[in-house]
Amino acid sequence: MLYLVGLGLADETDITVKGLNIVKKADRVYLEAYTSILMVDKNKLEAYYERPIIVADREMVESNDDDILARADVEDVAFLVVGDPFGATTHSDLVLRAHQLHIPTQIIHNASVMSAVGATGLQLYNFGQTVSMVFFTNTWKPSSFYDRVRENGQIGLHTLMLLDIKVKEQSEENLARGRKIFEPPRFMTAGQCAAQMLEIEESRGEGAYAPGSLAVAVARLGAPDQQMVAGTLKQISVTDLGAPLQSLVLLGKAHDLEREYIRRFAIDQVDFDEAWVAHISSRSTMSIFLIHGFRWSRGDIRIHTIIHEVDDAAPNNLMAGDSERAMRENFKELYPGAMKHLPHLRFIEPLNPNAEKFAYPAEPHVFICDVVVRSEDYIDITKEMANGIPQVVWDAMAELRDAIAKDEGIGWYAVHNGDLELAKQEREARDEEDAGEEHDDEADRIQEERNIEENFSQGLKEGVARLQVDNAGPEQGGRGIKKAFPGGMTMDTAERGKGKYSLVKASVSSGLPVAFCRPCAGIAPSEFTELAFSIQWSKIILDPSRSDPTHGLPRKLPEAIRTIDSGDRFQWVRKLETLIGPTHSDSCPKKPYPGLLSSSTASDPTGSEVAIYKRMVIHLREWNIEYEWCHILVIGMHVTGSDDVTYRIQAKNSPRLGRVTVDGISYEYLGSGSTTLPKIPNLRPAKPLTVTYDSQYSNFTFAAGPVEITASFLSSVLPTDLCRTSVPLSYLTTSVQSTDSASHDVQFYSDVNAAWAASENNVTIQWELYEGSNMINASGDAAGDPSSIYSWFFYLQQAYEFAEEMDVALWGNFTYSSSPMGAQNFSFDSGFSGDVRYQYVMQHSLPGIMDSDYRPFATREPVFAYSHDFGPVSSASVRYTIGSVQQPIIRYLSSEGVVPLQPWWIQCYGDVHQMIDFHFNDFGQTQVLASRFESQLKADVDGYYGANMAMVYSNSTPSTPPPYANTTQAYNGTDEYGNNYIFDSGNGYGFLDPQNFTGIAIPDVQEAEAYYSIVALSARQIMGAYTLAIPPSSGAGSNATGNATDPLMFQKEISSNGNTNTVDVMFPAMPFFLYANPNLLRYTMEPLYQNQEGGFYPNQYSMHDLGSHYPNATGHVEGNDEYMPVEESGNMILMSYAYYKFTSNTTYLTAHYPKLQQFASYLLDFTLTPGKQLSTDDFAGQLVNQTNLAIKGIVGIAAMSEIALLCSDPAASASYAATAASYYAQWETFALDPAGTHTLLSYQWRSSYSLLYNVYPALLLDLPIIPDSLYALQSAFYPSVSQLFGVPLDNRHSYTKSDESLWTAATCAPETRRLFVNGLAYWLNVTSTDRAFSDLFETIGEGGYPVSPDPVFFIARPVAGGHFSLLALEKGRGLFGRG
């Protein structure tokens, strides 16, 4: 046996107990001594390990490994590695060589720098690619590390730099002369690393980092004298951390907790804070800071904000560190009593982006604060205010306030610190001015004023006219803004000489008007009585080369606002007024919110300015528009414009648009692109009529004048057709049918925007148009063959292979295809959405322009469009295909190493153009095949219910069921079976039997129809989570039974954590595959077996998944996947046996029998009392000895008894069977409530219960381990705990899981089964969402998503395959039967 033993980081005692025992019994012990070193010498190791040690240098390990592996098949050889064997430097090559020689291996893990670097306080999941830094020479200065550092920085990840060590190295001269003379050992320091990094940055100049970038240097990590310092690269380059080993971490985007932790060991905390702002905060959305304190007018003192105990609340500190320290000491002398309780003041100068050009860019006041809460996105002000302020701190603040700002009130502020780039520009401008450079500021301002008047005057006049109407009050048709601000809203040109417009008192440099809100009555002026709101903009993307109606707008106006409001520049502001106006009413409190001006706490600021602010924040985040930066400030009870709170919107405005033009009128049936255009009389929304769906289609109909539009989406579910299943494209067919029997002039328009190809709005998209496989480079009409297929391809200009963000692939291309389809005229266009869409509405055709200005989708939103003109017709249709195509598609760890896998469709159809061509022209045949699957599905549902309905007869006429209203109203009625019920729509109990108050099924709903609605909605969702790939060239693996015609199948755990082939997500999806095509289950298990049987997984139980993030199927060579050993081992055994039961393929079981035995061995040891393990319901948390988890393992052992018998191992079969029976008998004593009414959630937790869904596989696979009495017991119990939308998962929560509910339903009597099925269908029918089918939802209230503490969205997950539990059960009964 070859053992790879990790030694840890510091000395001889860091070895694990397991590792020490192995070393002490090993025949030979090698110490790898060239990738790292311990901080003790070899003699100490030998004395502690009591074994002689052979030092293995690079030459021995990489060239003479035969010495190490010699006789390792019959001897125990320990190969010692500093850190972890698969840590900073992996030794997988040695493992692979041992595997080739049939030498067994075992890995003993330990801490490595890769994990111990968490001691810096930086969170490990925020680290990106690890890089190595080598010693530079005069002639060799490699910079490959630079690209990896830059890539990490671009997505905000930290970079761990592993530093070079030179042990047993020869000089160039000795190497050339062949002399075995070695140089003294050298170990790179963090300072040397930082200096070399700066040297490369200076030569490449690409801005991956700067001298002021923050980093953390660590020395002797894990040792008693470990040392860490945080500072800029320039500071670290001259810092001596002493003895080796050392590492360096370059910071990416960091969390506040990380900042707080590493600031403790900053070289200079003031410099650290300044660098944090310049190089960390500025990488992401500007932060919001909710603070508590008061304002202090600074006068001539350039100090703006004083904050107690929070160092990160004011990033833009423009003051020199010496000045800040001097001011702090001055305050201690002047106000010693207050400063005793406020010891950590900061002096901050926030930027004022509205300052005049070349003026000092700072606000004329300071905040003195004791509480600061920071967020990158959103702050719940209500919660923070309710916390209150300690009295001692309050008194100290009041003392300071009385001394320096007596007229100010103490309150809450939401602040932000401005725009660093603008501050830098203005400081540079001042420096140039001081140096004697002349600037004609007045002339610039006058010219800017003229430009505004010339290019914006008409819009301003229109806007003022509207505002004047609003000022008139409701009786004159306005909104009564005059009441909110007595002065009304008129243009004030008093500040014309300053180069900006001002409306009333609030200056808006962009020229946008200000929306005012109703003030709260009865509040004194000194208590911030005025409630006002305004917007300021700090960034602008203005393309002076583009000639459009908005050219020449003020420099501060963002492009998105120019784009959206090109036809109506005040449309956006009117939306804002509409939002704010209704929220302010006479319900405002008569006195200030107590948390603002006193030390009291408050619990419910309903109707106050806090609610106003919170609503505004939510609305800004949900708006379907795109813009750069929006700033809002809340000061006590005063809401006004400033440079403070910041939000970045990444909404994808109308990612797909569809219009049909009928007799010159364009009707929009898909998307909301009309909102970006000026009001056009001949552009109207189509009127929605109906929505229908089945397992293949989603169909929408609309009324559009004299025609009816049908938009039909087809994503075929063809589980037995691997080639068609592997195609990543869907169909959209749009058709029109005259409703008056007359012919009408008809044109079709459709586009998609570039947002489909990117998760961020600031990355460049590139695009092409193809006719067939020929690229169309120039503009022009589509003059090719009428049957030609045209395809837009668009993709990231800088792709990241095998990466995704926000469920968007960062490589490959998005394709959108169509064909003339018999149209009189077919045209295409690409360009700015407003231009392209306006052009079509006005001309009913497209000019055939190819926009070559590649750009992000937030910059003049690019769209890619088709137009079909059919002329006078009574009916017509067009077809589009759309999808995201990746080549290669999976990154896979195999015996060949890590290899890219190509999608299965390549071997079916050829290249991407051939695949698109086949798919487009295959529409008719696909419809036929889809119809067959759909017809069979309906027949199978009918067949199940024909054989399994509850035989209940009644002469009663059922009552009309009450509506779901979520408001209190009681009903009494009778269901279709003659059962009386009571129902109150205001509670969560659902429909109850008035005799015993147990739940009954939703009345007047046919269960068969309810079940069909569930499985039909699930089918496409299941298949959409899987990818078929061509296996590596070596075939399917040494233990596999497949051949070259079998694909590998990969699953993405969508929305929960993105793992690849998660075993406990495959397991609940199993019923669908057993019903539709059991081979798909085998294709999905095969990569898991290849990985574990190939020696890439070190643990004895089954792995949790094949990779932490799809599409990387690279396994877990360190064995550090999520810990669910009983869950996953039981799942693999049961899925393998299920595949056999539905195919009779015993060869498959025989091939994997050794691995299944290994999994079973773990179950034998840990199933009965699994301890504190996670189950598949990991979101619900750990729990000791979960009843449902234990029964899964017991059923798994029972399945192993059958597997062993099939694999000609009768002795093992008998042993497994006996153990399973024994375990079940003991399980009953632990799991059953003493009253004998139901099983418990956890052993002997009497007040608990849960869905016992893991007994379903025993019923499905005809395993007699579970007695019928247990099924009956649970079936009788569930109605006693049911709610409106089903039975909760367990007693800890009110939510449930749909897949586990239907697994449970399959084990119940018909009456209880109907309770589950109808409850889920009822939830689908009466609740609203904008998301895909969720398998996790509340059973009470409005049936929403669980909140814990944030909403949990399990969306579009393949576990919906569990909904096919009834059909799989019925198919199994047909194959092998059970009474």
Side-chain angles (χ1 to χ4, degrees):
M1 173 79 78
L2 172 65
Y3 296 92
L4 272 70
V5 181
L7 298 183
L9 294 170
D11 57 31
E12 71 277 12
T13 63
D14 279 359
I15 192 172
T16 65
V17 173
K18 182 187 290 186
L20 183 61
N21 291 335
I22 288 172
V23 170
K24 285 188 174 182
K25 72 180 182 65
D27 297 295
R28 282 175 286 139
V29 180
Y30 293 87
L31 172 64
E32 188 263 89
Y34 65 92
T35 62
S36 188
I37 61 166
L38 281 182
M39 299 170 195
V40 294
D41 60 24
K42 173 189 167 187
N43 294 332
K44 276 195 173 183
L45 296 180
E46 291 178 329
Y48 190 78
Y49 299 159
E50 301 174 356
R51 299 292 296 145
I53 292 176
I54 304 167
V55 175
D57 59 13
R58 184 186 301 273
E59 183 178 0
M60 174 180 285
V61 176
E62 296 182 355
S63 302
N64 299 317
D65 58 289
D66 291 344
D67 295 340
I68 299 173
L69 298 176
R71 295 184 57 76
D73 55 338
V74 294
E75 296 179 350
D76 287 336
V77 177
F79 185 77
L80 311 184
V81 181
V82 177
D84 185 275
F86 292 109
T89 300
T90 65
H91 290 280
S92 54
D93 55 339
L94 188 60
V95 174
L96 286 174
R97 285 194 290 259
H99 179 71
Q100 292 167 357
L101 296 172
H102 305 289
I103 296 171
T105 61
Q106 185 175 344
I107 313 301
I108 312 301
H109 295 284
N110 210 320
S112 76
V113 65
M114 307 287 281
S115 58
V117 72
T120 60
L122 300 173
Q123 298 174 14
L124 293 180
Y125 54 75
N126 286 340
F127 279 75
Q129 302 169 84
T130 299
V131 301
S132 298
M133 177 65 76
V134 301
F135 280 110
F136 286 2
T137 68
N138 292 334
T139 58
W140 186 59
K141 297 181 180 181
S143 64
S144 57
F145 75 89
Y146 185 93
D147 300 309
R148 306 289 82 76
V149 172
R150 182 182 57 201
E151 290 167 2
N152 287 345
Q154 287 171 342
I155 54 177
L157 299 179
H158 311 314
T159 301
L160 172 61
M161 312 283 296
L162 302 179
L163 310 189
D164 200 6
I165 69 173
K166 298 292 187 184
V167 179
K168 204 175 180 182
E169 296 279 346
Q170 295 171 271
S171 67
E172 291 181 359
E173 179 183 353
N174 289 329
L175 189 64
R177 294 178 180 273
R179 297 184 298 204
K180 291 280 187 178
I181 300 175
F182 301 103
E183 299 294 298
R186 287 191 297 154
F187 306 93
M188 182 178 285
T189 67
Q192 289 171 312
C193 175
Q196 291 187 176
M197 290 175 67
L198 293 176
E199 183 179 352
I200 295 300
E201 177 58 56
E202 184 175 358
S203 64
R204 292 188 54 162
E206 297 173 24
Y209 47 81
S213 296
L214 278 176
V216 177
V218 297
R220 301 170 299 285
L221 191 59
D225 64 337
Q226 80 174 19
Q227 185 178 355
M228 303 180 193
V229 297
T232 67
L233 286 176
K234 184 176 180 181
Q235 289 172 327
I236 291 175
S237 69
V238 294
T239 299
D240 182 10
L241 294 181
L245 295 170
Q246 300 183 18
S247 301
L248 185 139
V249 180
L250 184 67
L251 269 61
K253 178 181 176 181
H255 189 275
D256 285 350
L257 290 176
E258 293 175 296
R259 180 189 184 281
E260 183 179 356
Y261 196 98
I262 62 177
R263 189 179 182 275
R264 298 177 304 124
F265 41 85
I267 296 172
D268 183 302
Q269 291 189 344
V270 173
D271 292 342
F272 176 89
D273 293 337
E274 293 177 352
W276 182 272
V277 177
H279 299 279
I280 305 298
S281 297
S282 61
R283 290 187 180 188
S284 61
T285 302
M286 297 185 190
S287 299
I288 312 160
F289 302 98
L290 178 66
I291 64 178
H292 183 272
F294 62 90
R295 296 201 316 173
W296 173 38
S297 297
R298 68 178 180 89
D300 294 331
I301 303 174
R302 290 181 174 179
I303 302 170
H304 281 213
T305 307
I306 302 175
I307 296 179
H308 166 61
E309 290 188 336
V310 181
D311 303 305
D312 60 351
N316 295 340
N317 186 347
L318 308 181
M319 176 181 289
D322 292 342
S323 300
E324 184 179 39
R325 283 187 285 270
M327 185 57 69
R328 184 181 294 111
E329 294 304 316
N330 187 33
F331 262 63
K332 289 180 180 179
E333 293 179 10
L334 293 174
Y335 315 112
M339 292 300 292
K340 178 180 178 182
H341 301 290
L342 306 169
H344 303 297
L345 292 179
R346 289 300 314 275
F347 300 83
I348 311 297
E349 295 181 307
L351 186 68
N352 177 7
N354 299 318
E356 297 177 42
K357 199 173 183 181
F358 312 123
Y360 189 79
E363 297 281 5
H365 55 261
V366 60
F367 298 107
I368 302 181
C369 315
D370 62 90
V371 172
V372 176
V373 180
R374 176 178 177 172
S375 174
E376 297 291 338
D377 183 34
Y378 170 69
I379 292 177
D380 185 345
I381 296 179
T382 307
K383 174 183 175 183
E384 299 302 335
M385 289 183 176
N387 291 334
I389 306 299
Q391 191 64 44
V392 64
V393 174
W394 185 275
D395 292 343
M397 290 188 62
E399 180 182 338
L400 274 183
R401 186 270 311 271
D402 293 343
I404 61 177
K406 193 169 183 63
D407 293 334
E408 297 289 339
I410 300 175
W412 288 91
Y413 302 74
V415 300
H416 182 267
N417 298 87
D419 187 328
L420 287 170
E421 186 61 30
L422 181 58
K424 177 182 177 182
Q425 293 171 2
E426 291 181 344
R427 286 199 302 272
E428 291 173 351
R430 287 198 306 276
D431 292 341
E432 292 174 0
E433 186 178 40
D434 293 340
E437 243 182 83
E438 294 186 1
H439 300 274
D440 191 354
D441 299 343
E442 188 63 24
D444 289 345
R445 285 193 291 268
I446 292 172
Q447 183 61 46
E448 183 181 2
E449 182 68 20
R450 288 174 179 168
N451 290 341
I452 292 174
E453 292 186 54
E454 291 171 3
N455 295 287
F456 208 40
S457 58
Q458 184 60 37
L460 288 172
K461 289 176 183 178
E462 294 174 3
V464 171
R466 294 189 185 92
L467 293 172
Q468 288 172 343
V469 171
D470 286 338
N471 291 342
E475 60 277 5
Q476 283 83 33
R479 281 190 289 275
I481 295 178
K482 192 168 186 176
K483 292 184 179 180
F485 195 88
M489 301 181 72
T490 58
M491 292 301 300
D492 178 0
T493 58
E495 299 190 36
R496 292 172 74 89
K498 297 183 179 180
K500 56 187 177 181
Y501 285 100
S502 177
L503 298 179
V504 195
K505 294 182 178 180
S507 169
V508 183
S509 59
S510 66
L512 290 174
V514 182
F516 287 91
C517 312
R518 186 184 303 278
C520 296
I523 304 173
S526 62
E527 297 170 342
F528 308 112
T529 61
E530 179 185 308
L531 283 169
F533 179 89
S534 71
I535 298 292
Q536 298 288 358
W537 303 95
S538 67
K539 287 198 174 182
I540 170 67
I541 309 171
L542 187 62
D543 184 359
S545 66
R546 185 175 179 82
S547 181
D548 62 23
T550 64
H551 177 62
L553 288 181
R555 298 281 303 173
K556 290 280 183 135
L557 189 63
E559 183 206 27
I561 296 299
R562 294 190 310 112
T563 299
I564 291 172
D565 298 331
S566 59
D568 183 354
R569 298 186 179 96
F570 287 89
Q571 177 188 37
W572 189 85
V573 175
R574 289 203 306 278
K575 289 181 182 178
L576 203 56
E577 294 171 19
T578 302
L579 166 72
I580 297 175
T583 61
H584 303 288
S585 65
D586 293 330
S587 64
C588 288
K590 298 298 182 182
K591 60 182 180 178
Y593 178 55
L596 294 172
L597 300 177
S598 72
S599 60
S600 305
T601 61
S603 59
D604 184 14
T606 304
S608 72
E609 68 294 330
V610 175
I612 295 165
Y613 173 81
K614 188 174 180 180
R615 179 171 175 183
M616 174 56 65
V617 169
I618 292 171
H619 196 80
L620 286 174
R621 293 179 67 196
E622 293 176 352
W623 259 356
N624 190 26
I625 62 173
E626 301 164 359
Y627 58 94
E628 283 292 320
W629 304 106
C630 173
H631 308 283
I632 308 166
L633 170 66
V634 179
I635 303 177
M637 298 189 70
H638 182 170
V639 188
T640 186
S642 184
D643 60 326
D644 297 321
V645 185
T646 304
Y647 300 92
R648 182 171 184 180
I649 303 299
Q650 295 184 353
K652 299 178 180 180
N653 182 29
S654 299
R656 189 170 185 179
L657 187 70
R659 292 180 181 143
V660 172
T661 302
V662 183
D663 298 333
I665 306 296
S666 293
Y667 297 90
E668 192 165 273
Y669 69 91
L670 187 63
S672 55
S674 59
T675 61
T676 68
L677 297 176
K679 187 173 182 180
I680 303 173
N682 61 338
L683 175 59
R684 304 172 186 175
K687 180 182 178 181
L689 295 177
T690 65
V691 178
T692 60
Y693 72 88
D694 60 21
S695 65
Q696 312 288 325
Y697 293 89
S698 293
N699 305 302
F700 304 84
T701 64
F702 307 84
V707 306
E708 183 173 290
I709 302 171
T710 300
S712 180
F713 295 85
L714 170 60
S715 297
S716 57
V717 176
L718 307 173
T720 59
D721 189 328
L722 300 184
C723 285
R724 287 183 172 90
T725 294
S726 69
V727 174
L729 303 176
S730 295
Y731 299 98
L732 165 61
T733 303
T734 302
S735 60
V736 298
Q737 179 66 50
S738 171
T739 57
D740 60 5
S741 301
S743 294
H744 298 276
D745 193 40
V746 173
Q747 294 84 36
F748 294 82
Y749 170 90
S750 182
D751 73 40
V752 293
N753 75 357
W756 286 93
S759 60
E760 296 182 339
N761 63 10
N762 60 350
V763 294
T764 300
I765 308 296
Q766 188 166 328
W767 51 83
E768 292 126 15
L769 177 64
Y770 288 87
E771 180 184 358
S773 59
N774 299 315
M775 187 186 300
I776 300 175
N777 295 313
S779 301
D781 294 330
D785 190 317
S787 64
S788 292
I789 297 171
Y790 292 80
S791 299
W792 287 107
F793 283 27
F794 49 101
Y795 49 90
L796 292 179
Q797 195 172 72
Q798 183 175 356
Y800 298 91
E801 199 167 75
F802 304 121
E804 68 167 30
E805 186 173 19
M806 298 171 63
D807 290 326
V808 176
L810 300 184
W811 87 109
N813 63 72
F814 198 88
T815 71
Y816 189 45
S817 303
S818 191
S819 181
M821 300 286 293
Q824 294 180 2
N825 180 53
F826 172 71
S827 53
F828 55 80
D829 199 9
S830 64
F832 167 50
S833 60
D835 291 346
V836 174
R837 293 166 179 174
Y838 184 83
Q839 162 75 25
Y840 172 78
V841 171
M842 303 309 293
Q843 302 296 328
H844 307 152
S845 64
L846 297 172
I849 294 175
M850 289 290 295
D851 184 349
S852 59
D853 179 17
Y854 305 136
R855 56 189 181 273
F857 72 76
T859 303
R860 302 191 322 280
E861 178 192 22
V863 297
F864 315 101
Y866 297 112
S867 172
H868 296 74
D869 184 351
F870 284 87
V873 291
S874 59
S875 64
S877 68
V878 296
R879 184 187 318 140
Y880 311 95
T881 61
I882 189 168
S884 181
V885 181
Q886 282 74 45
Q887 297 175 259
I889 198 165
I890 292 290
R891 185 167 176 255
Y892 185 59
L893 175 62
S894 73
S895 58
E896 302 173 23
V898 176
V899 296
L901 301 185
Q902 296 296 333
W904 186 254
W905 55 258
I906 287 180
Q907 74 174 26
C908 299
Y909 309 118
D911 65 24
V912 64
H913 300 288
Q914 293 170 308
M915 181 267 287
I916 292 172
D917 180 84
F918 173 86
H919 178 261
F920 194 94
N921 291 314
D922 188 54
F923 180 65
Q925 182 61 23
T926 296
Q927 284 185 305
V928 171
L929 297 173
S931 177
R932 289 177 186 170
F933 181 92
E934 171 64 14
S935 298
Q936 187 64 52
L937 177 64
K938 287 181 176 178
D940 290 339
V941 171
D942 291 342
Y944 172 83
Y945 280 97
N948 296 279
M949 285 298 291
M951 303 307 292
V952 179
Y953 299 93
S954 171
N955 294 321
S956 302
T957 301
S959 307
T960 301
Y964 170 72
N966 201 27
T967 57
T968 297
Q969 187 170 355
Y971 297 89
N972 296 293
T974 304
D975 70 9
E976 60 183 317
Y977 301 105
N979 299 313
N980 294 326
Y981 65 79
I982 57 175
F983 176 75
D984 186 341
S985 58
N987 64 42
Y989 298 134
F991 294 82
L992 301 178
D993 183 331
Q995 300 300 316
N996 55 20
F997 298 99
T998 58
I1000 67 170
I1002 307 299
D1004 199 34
V1005 175
Q1006 292 294 326
E1007 185 187 354
E1009 294 179 7
Y1011 186 62
Y1012 168 76
S1013 72
I1014 294 167
V1015 293
L1017 189 61
S1018 304
R1020 282 173 281 168
Q1021 177 167 310
I1022 300 162
M1023 293 303 294
Y1026 290 86
T1027 294
L1028 292 167
I1030 301 172
S1033 59
S1034 61
S1038 58
N1039 286 334
T1041 58
N1043 52 54
T1045 62
D1046 289 339
L1048 296 179
M1049 191 160 162
F1050 298 91
Q1051 171 209 74
K1052 179 181 177 183
E1053 185 180 341
I1054 297 173
S1055 80
S1056 39
N1057 71 1
N1059 289 168
T1060 303
N1061 285 35
T1062 309
V1063 177
D1064 62 289
V1065 175
M1066 293 163 51
F1067 186 63
M1070 174 178 66
F1072 172 79
F1073 297 118
L1074 297 178
Y1075 164 74
N1077 181 2
N1079 282 323
L1080 297 180
L1081 184 62
R1082 173 166 62 89
Y1083 301 150
T1084 313
M1085 288 191 291
E1086 185 60 32
L1088 290 157
Y1089 274 124
Q1090 286 188 20
N1091 184 281
Q1092 293 172 99
E1093 292 169 345
F1096 299 117
Y1097 187 68
N1099 298 322
Q1100 297 305 301
Y1101 47 80
S1102 169
M1103 64 197 317
H1104 170 268
D1105 58 80
L1106 196 58
S1108 296
H1109 208 291
Y1110 183 91
N1112 294 285
T1114 51
H1116 299 277
V1117 294
E1118 296 180 353
N1120 58 352
D1121 50 333
E1122 189 171 4
Y1123 184 68
M1124 292 186 187
V1126 168
E1127 174 74 40
E1128 311 302 21
S1129 298
N1131 291 343
M1132 286 297 290
I1133 291 172
L1134 288 168
M1135 285 192 293
S1136 299
Y1137 183 59
Y1139 170 72
Y1140 157 75
K1141 288 288 284 185
F1142 280 74
T1143 63
S1144 301
N1145 185 347
T1146 54
T1147 306
Y1148 179 80
L1149 293 179
T1150 303
H1152 299 300
Y1153 185 54
K1155 185 57 64 174
L1156 290 168
Q1157 284 181 302
Q1158 179 182 317
F1159 297 158
S1161 176
Y1162 184 89
L1163 293 182
L1164 293 173
D1165 290 339
F1166 293 99
T1167 281
L1168 184 58
T1169 53
K1172 197 172 183 179
Q1173 289 193 17
L1174 286 171
S1175 71
T1176 184
D1177 302 321
D1178 52 355
F1179 51 87
Q1182 288 183 328
L1183 191 64
V1184 174
N1185 294 334
Q1186 296 180 62
T1187 297
N1188 193 44
L1189 178 61
I1191 198 64
K1192 170 175 286 185
I1194 294 171
V1195 174
I1197 294 171
M1200 273 304 297
S1201 173
E1202 302 296 326
I1203 292 171
L1205 200 59
L1206 292 164
C1207 294
S1208 303
D1209 192 354
S1213 174
S1215 177
Y1216 287 133
T1219 301
S1222 172
Y1223 280 5
Y1224 178 80
Q1226 297 176 71
W1227 176 86
E1228 273 202 347
T1229 65
F1230 299 144
L1232 283 177
D1233 180 88
T1237 57
H1238 65 284
T1239 56
L1240 307 172
L1241 169 62
S1242 177
Y1243 287 173
Q1244 299 181 359
W1245 180 8
R1246 186 169 189 183
S1247 61
S1248 68
Y1249 71 86
S1250 71
L1251 298 180
L1252 195 68
Y1253 53 83
N1254 276 328
V1255 296
Y1256 168 70
L1259 189 66
L1260 173 70
L1261 304 177
D1262 198 17
L1263 295 168
I1265 187 67
I1266 306 297
D1268 290 341
S1269 58
L1270 183 70
Y1271 296 120
L1273 181 77
Q1274 290 299 109
S1275 179
F1277 169 74
Y1278 293 131
S1280 69
V1281 290
S1282 66
Q1283 303 285 170
L1284 178 61
F1285 297 123
V1287 180
L1289 179 62
D1290 60 52
N1291 59 280
R1292 293 173 294 176
H1293 309 281
S1294 55
Y1295 56 64
T1296 195
K1297 292 278 274 83
S1298 63
D1299 54 318
E1300 292 163 1
S1301 291
L1302 289 195
W1303 274 43
T1304 306
T1307 68
C1308 294
E1311 293 83 357
T1312 303
R1313 181 197 66 213
R1314 186 162 55 249
L1315 177 70
F1316 280 101
V1317 172
N1318 286 13
L1320 178 55
Y1322 189 61
W1323 174 79
L1324 283 174
N1325 193 49
V1326 303
T1327 59
S1328 299
T1329 182
D1330 59 353
R1331 293 177 166 87
F1333 198 163
S1334 173
D1335 56 285
L1336 180 67
F1337 57 89
E1338 290 286 350
T1339 60
I1340 58 175
E1342 296 182 358
Y1345 301 103
V1347 176
S1348 179
D1350 299 317
V1352 179
F1353 301 115
F1354 279 11
I1355 306 301
R1357 298 194 333 140
V1359 298
H1363 300 158
F1364 284 74
S1365 58
L1366 304 182
L1367 295 181
L1369 187 64
E1370 188 66 10
K1371 182 178 179 181
R1373 284 171 173 163
L1375 290 172
F1376 43 85
R1378 177 177 176 175

